[in-house]
Amino acid sequence: MSRKWIIAAIGGGEAAGPEVEAFGTLVAQVGAILMTGGIPALNSPRVTERAQAGCKAAGGLMISVLPETGRNAIVACHGERRFEVLTNVSKFGRDPITGAAADVVFVFPGEVGTLVELAYASREKRPILFCGTSAQWNEMGALRRTRKAQLREGLETAVREYGPDYQCGALNPDYVTQTVDKLEHDLDEGLQRIPLGDITDLLQRIPPGAPDPAATNFLGLPDCTGVEELRSLAAQMSAFGPVEHFIVAN
């Protein structure tokens, strides 16, 4: 069975406005699944929460990738059109999932964590679009230059904590250094080619047809489990009808 396109919204800070909520609404209206690193929260200043709030209000489908939950599991949320990817790692350790597991990545202004997600999205060659102004994009580029040490630390944390990146084998310092070097290189290449746009560009960024049900680029939870669970739940969610249908059903 085919599945719907999975669209990630990444970004940080405490300044998410109505445009982020409108983005979540649009994801629901085009019939895609929204993936973020948060849970729905009305009027939240955070990108991850506000995007899901807009998506939820429009009857959309959602995946929440959550850090520091105390366990590794993928669970459907009772009474919601949403499931949670629970990870027993830090926010940086969670970032490889939100950066690489979606089919398309939309970026809102953020900080170091957003750059870590972008590094993984760039490595996996995800289609990426920055939703913001040229000035905001320049600020992201400046962040890459002025916070090099914090970014490298975040990437190192992601490599150490996200098990599937090294097939759950033993890490060694050389592996961490080489992987972080490659991620920094991929990020720098990605930053040079990411186009700017607005949320209406979402309609043009959805590729024609349906994605391969298995091609989510999700490598698994930090304990190397959960790949089939995520694919199965995404496929089940894709069986829902048009957004208008399940707005009425609610």
Side-chain angles (χ1 to χ4, degrees):
M1 180 177 67
S2 63
R3 66 165 174 81
K4 297 179 184 293
W5 293 95
I6 298 175
I7 296 177
I10 65 174
E14 296 286 343
E19 74 282 356
V20 179
E21 197 167 318
F23 170 83
T25 300
L26 187 56
V27 172
Q29 290 173 345
V30 301
I33 300 172
L34 175 64
M35 172 183 281
T36 84
I39 60 176
L42 284 171
N43 300 316
S44 171
R46 301 193 64 79
V47 167
T48 55
E49 296 171 349
R50 190 144 190 181
Q52 286 215 4
C55 189
K56 180 179 180 179
L61 309 170
M62 295 162 286
I63 301 172
S64 300
V65 183
L66 305 178
E68 300 170 345
T69 59
R71 63 183 176 130
N72 293 309
I74 298 176
V75 297
C77 300
H78 181 70
E80 295 188 57
R81 300 190 184 282
R82 181 173 68 90
F83 66 87
E84 295 180 343
V85 180
L86 306 178
T87 65
N88 189 26
V89 293
S90 69
K91 290 183 179 181
F92 287 133
R94 175 275 313 275
D95 287 342
I97 299 175
T98 49
D103 300 302
V104 184
V105 179
F106 281 75
V107 187
F108 293 87
E111 299 180 359
V112 172
T114 304
L115 290 177
V116 172
E117 291 171 305
L118 270 177
Y120 277 90
S122 298
R123 186 181 74 168
E124 297 297 329
K125 302 189 186 321
R126 302 290 82 195
I128 304 168
L129 184 74
F130 181 76
C131 296
T133 65
S134 296
Q136 289 172 322
W137 184 240
N138 290 336
E139 289 176 6
M140 292 286 288
L143 189 72
R144 166 71 179 103
R145 297 188 297 273
T146 60
R147 299 184 66 181
K148 285 185 177 181
Q150 294 96 321
L151 174 60
R152 191 164 184 90
E153 183 179 349
L155 289 168
E156 289 176 350
T157 299
V159 172
R160 289 193 179 98
E161 292 186 355
Y162 188 54
D165 201 38
Y166 56 92
Q167 291 77 48
C168 291
L171 281 177
N172 63 71
D174 287 342
Y175 174 85
V176 173
T177 298
Q178 293 168 8
T179 303
V180 171
D181 287 346
K182 180 63 167 61
L183 283 165
E184 287 186 324
H185 176 268
D186 292 340
L187 173 62
D188 289 336
E189 284 199 338
L191 289 173
Q192 293 177 19
R193 65 172 184 265
I194 294 172
L196 275 65
D198 57 49
I199 61 171
T200 58
D201 287 330
L202 174 62
L203 295 172
Q204 284 71 49
R205 299 291 290 184
I206 302 295
D212 181 339
T216 66
N217 279 42
F218 176 62
L219 301 177
L221 292 164
D223 62 356
C224 297
T225 64
V227 174
E228 292 307 318
E229 288 87 345
L230 185 139
R231 290 175 179 171
S232 175
L233 281 170
Q236 290 177 45
M237 294 178 87
S238 297
F240 288 120
V243 64
E244 293 82 5
H245 171 75
F246 50 78
I247 286 178
V248 174
N250 285 342

